[in-house]
Amino acid sequence: MSQTLYLKPAGSVKVRDPRNGAHLTTAGAELPRNHYWLRRLKDGDVVEVKMTAEKRAKRTPIKEQ
């Protein structure tokens, strides 16, 4: 199982990233698979986006704080 998820907000919902307090962009982001993001996914606040090989190659790594 992957340690990350690629998520974007569902509809017009604004979801904050707890690491930096910024809103998740409408394009989405690669985020850690943790309780916070799994709960947002379960609640329907975010949706998982399947990444294509091209997007996967261009992604930037997650910076742990």
Side-chain angles (χ1 to χ4, degrees), residues 2-61:
S2 174
Q3 295 295 322
T4 61
L5 298 165
Y6 198 87
L7 303 172
K8 69 178 190 175
S12 61
V13 175
K14 296 211 180 241
V15 181
R16 288 193 186 270
D17 186 337
R19 298 174 298 168
N20 59 16
H23 286 109
L24 189 59
T25 64
T26 56
E30 186 175 13
L31 300 160
R33 178 184 291 271
N34 60 28
H35 291 286
Y36 179 82
W37 291 112
L38 291 173
R39 181 58 186 251
R40 301 289 69 76
L41 191 59
K42 181 181 174 190
D43 289 349
D45 296 336
V46 295
V47 293
E48 187 170 7
V49 178
K50 301 296 180 192
M51 291 193 342
T52 63
E54 182 179 314
K55 282 185 182 179
R56 192 173 289 118
K58 290 182 180 179
R59 70 183 180 186
T60 56

